[in-house]
């Protein structure tokens, strides 16, 4: 949560910072602010989105070639102007932007108050910049040293950038727990929470490690050191990100663009890994740990939100294909419930952002207990891939819409490939069946292209009929139970309609009481596995006058005869149905949200990467 961007160079900082804030707005949009040095330290901040800040600074002095900017997802203190970042120090000579939580801010604050400090906000961040200034004044240190000494008193997570009115040549950055990447260009430095504000200025970047700080001075090389004062050598990496993916490319929203990108993103997830001709799947990133995975006594998937739903699909896949027992855990529960973890357990951590605090903490805990940790992440260079023993990137490309779409289908694609690879090597699947599923998986992107063409209009029509509903129920069995959960999550997070996903057979154990003529029930009912049982569940809903929106296999007649609306999906392997069935559910949520005038890409109260507990 919270987006950080900073600039030091020979260009005007303001346009670069504002553009960067727009790119990072997905990380939080409760307020935003900017501080630029030009003789004075000019600081402007506003509740609301970045465009509110832009309106506010019109006509004001935003000149200068060094500055910091922030977009906030509120933790300490309500979203208002005072709590927005950047924050000033007591004498208004220093300013800070911060992502994370300073856990001991209360005790630090009390101590600073006794020394005469006066605070203008409710934030933990303001306490930190006061502390830095206090150290600077009392110990007579330069800015970098003051930041370092102050950070040694801090408990919690932080990604910070600090500037001083008296030094327009220096940016000080540091991180622990929250991400920070530094771009090193021609005579300029950029710092950001992710690489998206940096990529159009330079492709040469350094990802800061935990408890590491950077001293960036005009005309000099990057200096890195630990907060315990040990010098580090910067490890530069090359960004490969394509700039087009950061724009809407003619779509009204990023979410719609990302839904339509799925044939491409799934192909990217499979590229070079699914080798049709050779009949093999090769996941280079986990080669070293393949044997460990094959011999695992148990696999534990840990994730949150949509990634947890992908993990549930993974459970069905791994158990069917590899016969290894699988548990799927919410990272937030797993980390605190004293789980039994053994050395022959393999934990698969799934995360789009690679920054989710609960997932990260659960990984660290399982690692300490001796488990092998593999990651499935989308954002290259993020914290989770660096914390795991090995892993595979999904390569879905940047996902900007807060509601996860293409990341989910790429996660499921990767889990499918992983399970197939292990099953093949373990011999829990015949060669011919392995080849058959590989072929089917390879065809999925084309089939999704078809689904996008054929279901776009119908989902829009259905959306128009049900946009004012107050509740929705989503039902599915087997592989489609997680699809039902994901469909419900998508709807509630972007349209604010209450929605529940259930295993279809569970309906009669409670939720059936909710059904009346007002209740839309979305049923994923392909002609597979438990089809007949799902048909019975549909009948139970119809008998209580619920409205059925059914996802059926092409040519289905039985469900069509009872459903109020049907959406046809291609007839694919049962284990691959989630990949095609998810698409119309994403479209349905999208169109309902648009028709309700909701902010699709930035739904209220949410942020793309949840870096707090
Ligand atoms: O970045 P992660 O995949 O770890 O994020 C996990 C969840 O926060 C995320 O999937 C969230 O549920 C999305 N808003 C779902 O659309």
């Amino acid at each position: 949560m919270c987006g950080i961007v900073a600039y030091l160079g020979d260009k005007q900082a303001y346009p670069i910072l504002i553009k960067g804030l727009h790119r990072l707005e997905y990380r939080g949009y409760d307020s935003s602010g900017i501080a630029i040095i030009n003789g004075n330290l000019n600081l402007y901040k506003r509740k609301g989105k970045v465009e509110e800040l832009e309106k506010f600074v019109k006509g004001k002095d935003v000149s200068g070639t060094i500055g910091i900017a922030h977009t906030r997802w509120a933790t300490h203190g309500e979203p208002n102007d005072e709590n927005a970042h950047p924050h000033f120090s007591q004498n208004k000579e220093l300013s800070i932007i911060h992502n994370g939580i300073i856990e001991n801010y209360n005790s630090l604050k009390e101590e600073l108050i006794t020394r005469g400090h006066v605070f203008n906000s409710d934030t933990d961040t303001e306490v930190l910049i006061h502390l830095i200034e206090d150290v600077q004044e009392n110990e007579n240190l330069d800015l970098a040293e003051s930041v370092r000494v102050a950070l040694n008193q801090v408990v919690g997570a932080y990604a910070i950038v600090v500037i001083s009115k008296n030094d327009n040549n220096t940016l000080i950055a540091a991180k622990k727990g929250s991400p920070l990447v530094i771009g090193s260009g021609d005579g300029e430095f950029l710092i950001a929470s992710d690489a998206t504000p940096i990529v159009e200025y330079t492709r040469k970047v350094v990802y800061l490690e935990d408890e590491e700080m950077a001293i960036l001075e005009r005309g000099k090389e990057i200096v890195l050191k630990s907060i315990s004062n040990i010098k580090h050598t910067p490890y530069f990496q090359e960004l490969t990100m394509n700039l087009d993916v950061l724009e809407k490319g003619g779509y009204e929203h990023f979410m719609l663009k990302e839904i339509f990108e799925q044939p491409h993103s799934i192909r990217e997830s499979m590229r070079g890994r699914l080798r049709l001709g050779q009949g093999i799947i090769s996941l280079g990133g986990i080669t070293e740990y393949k044997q460990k995975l094959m011999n695992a006594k148990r696999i534990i998937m840990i994730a949150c939100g949509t990634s947890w739903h992908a993990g549930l699909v993974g459970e069905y896949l791994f158990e069917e294909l590899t016969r290894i027992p699988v548990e799927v855990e919410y990272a937030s529960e797993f980390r605190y419930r004293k789980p039994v973890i053994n050395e022959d357990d393999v934990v698969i951590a799934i995360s789009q952002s690679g920054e989710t605090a609960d997932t990260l903490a659960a990984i660290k805990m399982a690692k300490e207990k001796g488990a092998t940790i593999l990651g499935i992440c989308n954002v290259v260079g993020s914290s989770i891939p660096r914390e795991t023993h090995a892993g595979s990137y999904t390569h879905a490309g940047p996902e900007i819409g807060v509601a996860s779409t293409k990341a989910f289908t790429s996660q499921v694609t990767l889990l499918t490939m992983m399970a197939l690879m292990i099953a093949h090597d373990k011999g829990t699947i015949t060669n011919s069946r392995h080849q058959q599923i590989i072929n089917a998986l390879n065809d999925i992107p084309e089939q999704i292209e078809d689904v996008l063409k054929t279901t776009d209009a119908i989902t829009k029509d259905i959306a128009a009929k049900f946009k004012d509903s107050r509740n929705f129920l989503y039902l599915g069995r087997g592989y489609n139970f997680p699809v039902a959960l994901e469909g419900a999550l998508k709807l509630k997070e972007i349209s604010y309609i209450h929605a529940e996903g259930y295993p279809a057979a569970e309906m009669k154990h409670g939720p059936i009481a909710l059904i009346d003529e007002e209740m839309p029930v979305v049923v994923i009912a392909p002609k597979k596995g438990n089809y007949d049982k799902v048909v019975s569940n549909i009948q139970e809903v119809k008998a209580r006058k619920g409205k059925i929106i059914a996802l059926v296999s092409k040519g289905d007649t039985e469900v069509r005869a009872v459903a109020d609306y049907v959406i046809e999906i291609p007839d694919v392997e049962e284990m691959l149905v989630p990949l095609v069935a998810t698409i119309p559910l994403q479209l349905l949520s999208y169109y309902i949200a648009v028709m309700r005038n909701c902010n699709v890409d930035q739904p209220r109260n949410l942020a793309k990467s949840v870096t707090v507990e």
Side-chain angles (χ1 to χ4, degrees), residues 304-307 350-356 359 384 402-405 411 486 489-490 493 606-610:
C304 303
T306 288
S307 299
I350 309 166
S351 173
Q352 186 287 130
S353 62
E355 300 295 346
T356 302
T359 310
I384 290 176
V402 164
S404 191
T405 52
Q411 289 165 343
E486 176 58 11
L489 177 64
K490 232 46 342 151
E493 68 183 332
L606 291 175
K608 184 76 184 160
S609 65
V610 185

Side-chain angles (χ1 to χ4, degrees), residues 68-247:
I68 56 178
H70 187 272
T71 178
R72 177 172 187 246
W73 187 86
T75 56
H76 291 69
E78 64 174 280
N80 58 25
D81 292 350
E82 289 71 35
N83 291 332
H85 299 209
H87 287 282
F88 272 133
S89 60
Q90 171 88 359
N91 63 17
K92 293 197 164 39
E93 295 202 338
L94 307 183
S95 183
I96 189 171
I97 47 176
H98 168 221
N99 172 22
I101 292 181
I102 309 297
E103 287 166 18
N104 59 338
Y105 84 105
N106 251 330
S107 56
L108 293 170
K109 189 172 183 175
E110 276 164 23
E111 206 179 309
L112 287 163
I113 288 172
T114 62
R115 294 217 282 276
H117 285 256
V118 177
F119 292 92
N120 297 306
S121 77
D122 309 316
T123 65
D124 49 342
T125 307
E126 193 188 10
V127 175
L128 179 56
I129 195 66
H130 279 238
L131 176 67
I132 292 169
E133 185 181 82
D134 196 69
V135 170
Q136 192 179 32
E137 285 176 353
N138 291 324
E139 301 189 25
N140 200 19
L141 300 172
D142 68 13
L143 183 60
E145 238 346 66
S146 312
V147 170
R148 194 185 69 74
V149 171
L151 288 178
N152 276 286
Q153 298 178 42
V154 155
V155 178
Y158 54 79
I160 57 165
V161 186
V162 177
I163 52 172
S164 165
K165 180 183 165 188
N166 303 319
D167 181 357
N168 74 346
N169 293 315
T170 309
L171 290 172
I172 309 291
K175 90 140 213 148
K176 182 184 174 193
S178 304
L180 216 50
V181 50
I182 299 172
S184 174
D186 191 11
E188 60 187 359
F189 294 114
L190 289 107
I191 308 174
S193 300
D194 71 30
T196 57
I198 296 178
V199 64
E200 64 193 275
Y201 306 100
T202 177
R203 291 189 173 265
K204 190 178 162 192
V205 295
V206 178
Y207 291 91
L208 278 194
E209 296 294 334
D210 276 351
E211 303 203 334
E212 191 172 50
M213 57 186 287
I215 300 152
L216 308 178
E217 290 184 277
R218 213 181 278 276
K220 295 193 183 165
E221 296 296 318
I222 292 183
V223 174
L224 294 186
K225 56 162 84 172
S226 68
I227 64 162
S228 51
N229 213 11
I230 296 165
K231 234 178 147 196
H232 293 172
T233 310
Y235 168 59
F236 289 102
Q237 301 186 46
E238 184 81 11
L239 291 176
T240 52
M241 192 184 288
N242 179 348
L243 263 180
D244 298 350
V245 296
L246 304 177
E247 309 296 338

Side-chain angles (χ1 to χ4, degrees), residues 7 11-21 34-36 44 50-51 53-58 60-67 69:
Y7 179 79
K11 300 191 182 87
Q12 283 298 305
Y14 177 74
I16 296 171
L17 295 175
I18 285 291
K19 198 167 186 184
L21 285 185
I34 200 156
I36 299 181
Y44 310 105
V50 177
E51 59 191 42
L53 176 70
E54 285 177 279
K55 281 185 215 151
F56 180 65
V57 302
K58 274 229 164 79
K60 300 192 168 72
D61 181 8
V62 289
S63 58
T65 58
I66 173 170

Side-chain angles (χ1 to χ4, degrees), residues 245 258 261 265 268 352 378 394-400 406-407 410:
V245 296
E258 287 156 8
E261 260 171 18
S265 50
E268 285 301 301
Q352 186 287 130
N378 191 35
T394 48
H395 296 312
E399 190 179 65
I400 313 285
K406 63 176 183 172
S410 279

